[in-house]
Amino acid sequence: MKYKLDCAVWETTLACNMHCKHCGSSAGTARPNELSTEECFRLCEDLAESGCNTVSLMGGEPFVRKDWKSLAWCVKDLGMELAFVSNGLLLPKYINDLFELEPSVIGISLDGTKKIHDSIRREGSYKAAINAIDLLNQKNIQTTVVTTVTKTNFSELIAIRDILKKKKVNWQIQIGMPFGNLDKSLIIDEDEYYAIAMFIVSEGIKNKFKDYPIIGAHCFGYFSHLLQGGGHWNGCTAGISSIGITSDGGIVGCLSMGNNQFIEDNVRERSFIDIWDDSNSFRYNRKFTAEKIGENCMNCYFSKRCKGGCNSVSLHMTGKLHNTPFCMRRIEETKLDVKSSKTYKK
């Protein structure tokens, strides 16, 4: 079967000007053998040849890498959509370059009000994030604010909402997972997870780029009776329509699944096209069968379609794939006694 690559999330460097308490990559210092500029160009060419639609440059912090503009223009010149994920600290320095690049979207991390955000990231980072959002608005660059929720900032959601209502941005909420820098004691519980989902519902999910939409990341949904869009989940996209790239050339289905364990190969050893087209790559998703479904999901009507939810959440919370403990539908039907619906079909 031929798989169509839609999005590549590229950790261009592990270097970062922050040391965030929830960083899954434990970013800070660049790897000693990160891809050279020329190696990055070749990889971009392979991504384009594979039909990749969007390349999202992140880190670490993507703007720390000295040749980031060359990489970004290479993506654009090859006809692919360009996106970034940033902490915003260096964005004022490069705002005019970004305006010329015309990225489809830039993600800016915001994890709370000033005291909480700065305690998670570093002193002055809240001011930098707000300034970055404002500058992007002034340049009419589409912006998505990304909030990673843990017990540290769970109670900050309403305050963040009030801050962002004054901005022309989208807001993506995701949950922190127990890997990298994040202390396991700060992981939200099931009740908090569902409360976040209901907050998303209460604020309303609208068009992707209109009317200040609040959206849940892949860790939310899964055929929920209440959360809009849950019925469109067709399983983890890692190795199916999306991939992650480590700064030293490793190809992994999803950077959030833990780089070393799931690296398929390295572009220094084999071309990206060969890795992507190999029928034995990304077997956990491409060779999925019902027998792989974990105990949390095996009795669900939608298990074969959902495939156990987000594999990153599943892996880091249970040690298994296709076995997420955070499922909207299961919570609704077991804790809240919401009756099963025939709305969705396998």
Side-chain angles (χ1 to χ4, degrees):
M1 178 178 177
K2 182 74 172 179
Y3 291 91
K4 174 65 174 69
L5 178 60
D6 178 59
C7 179
V9 180
W10 190 347
E11 171 206 270
T12 56
T13 180
L14 207 56
C16 190
N17 45 16
M18 294 189 187
H19 188 70
C20 304
K21 293 179 180 178
H22 60 252
C23 179
S25 301
S26 298
T29 303
R31 289 186 174 93
N33 58 340
E34 295 186 334
L35 296 179
S36 67
T37 305
E38 290 301 320
E39 287 175 318
C40 289
F41 289 164
R42 287 196 294 273
L43 178 51
C44 283
E45 290 169 355
D46 278 359
L47 290 171
E49 188 175 335
S50 297
C52 184
N53 180 56
T54 301
V55 178
S56 180
L57 304 182
M58 58 175 291
E61 170 58 33
F63 301 128
V64 168
R65 183 165 170 140
K66 293 181 179 179
D67 61 356
W68 75 265
K69 282 183 277 188
S70 297
L71 306 189
W73 277 114
C74 185
V75 170
K76 292 285 290 188
D77 290 344
L78 288 167
M80 295 178 285
E81 292 288 333
L82 174 68
F84 294 92
V85 179
S86 171
N87 58 38
L89 201 62
L90 292 174
L91 192 137
K93 180 178 179 180
Y94 299 122
I95 188 64
N96 291 328
D97 297 300
L98 292 168
F99 179 73
E100 292 179 8
L101 280 162
E102 297 182 307
S104 58
V105 64
I106 295 181
I108 298 294
S109 300
L110 183 69
D111 295 313
T113 53
K114 183 180 184 299
K115 181 179 179 179
I116 294 296
H117 181 89
D118 283 3
S119 72
I120 292 171
R121 293 177 176 272
R122 59 172 276 187
E123 188 71 27
S125 60
Y126 173 83
K127 181 178 179 181
I130 296 299
N131 185 41
I133 293 167
D134 290 339
L135 286 173
L136 292 170
N137 275 334
Q138 292 169 19
K139 293 293 186 178
N140 200 30
I141 298 173
Q142 181 63 50
T143 307
T144 294
V145 169
V146 181
T147 298
T148 301
V149 184
T150 67
K151 287 184 180 295
T152 301
N153 62 344
F154 170 76
S155 62
E156 293 277 287
L157 291 175
I158 292 176
I160 299 173
R161 176 202 65 188
D162 292 342
I163 293 167
L164 296 183
K165 273 190 173 180
K166 305 170 186 176
K167 316 290 182 182
K168 295 178 181 179
V169 297
N170 308 298
W171 185 17
Q172 176 177 299
I173 299 175
Q174 59 193 32
I175 57 178
M177 285 291 101
F179 68 105
N181 292 345
L182 186 56
D183 189 314
K184 291 182 179 180
S185 67
L186 297 178
I187 304 303
I188 61 170
D189 60 32
E190 190 177 77
D191 290 338
E192 290 165 331
Y193 170 81
Y194 198 75
I196 297 168
M198 290 301 94
F199 173 76
I200 295 171
V201 171
S202 71
E203 294 301 316
I205 300 175
K206 301 178 182 179
N207 186 282
K208 184 179 180 183
F209 294 133
K210 294 180 181 178
D211 301 322
Y212 176 61
I214 299 177
I215 59 174
H218 285 175
C219 45
F220 288 100
Y222 317 139
F223 303 95
S224 165
H225 294 273
L226 300 174
L227 189 63
Q228 298 177 37
H232 302 298
W233 176 258
N234 289 307
C236 174
T237 63
I240 302 295
S241 61
S242 62
I243 51 96
I245 306 168
T246 67
S247 61
D248 57 355
I251 301 301
V252 63
C254 172
L255 289 169
S256 295
M257 286 171 60
N259 296 349
N260 294 334
Q261 184 177 357
F262 291 95
I263 286 179
E264 304 294 331
D265 214 323
N266 192 291
V267 296
R268 284 175 168 148
E269 304 297 327
R270 193 158 56 126
S271 75
F272 173 78
I273 294 173
D274 286 346
I275 299 170
W276 179 256
D277 289 341
D278 189 336
S279 60
N280 289 314
S281 293
F282 315 102
R283 292 179 63 85
Y284 53 89
N285 265 352
R286 293 184 178 182
K287 305 291 185 181
F288 171 82
T289 61
E291 289 71 28
K292 294 182 179 180
I293 296 170
E295 61 272 16
N296 285 328
C297 306
M298 63 174 55
N299 295 320
C300 178
Y301 176 80
F302 297 100
S303 60
K304 291 181 181 178
R305 179 174 169 185
C306 179
K307 301 176 183 176
C310 172
N311 270 327
S312 173
V313 174
S314 178
L315 177 68
H316 295 298
M317 293 296 290
T318 73
K320 302 177 182 178
L321 300 177
H322 313 295
N323 189 46
T324 185
F326 286 155
C327 172
M328 293 281 291
R329 191 177 187 88
R330 184 171 62 247
I331 296 171
E332 289 163 353
E333 294 185 356
T334 57
K335 285 195 170 186
L336 305 181
D337 197 30
V338 176
K339 301 302 180 183
S340 183
S341 167
K342 297 295 184 181
T343 302
Y344 306 116
K345 298 186 183 297
K346 289 184 179 180

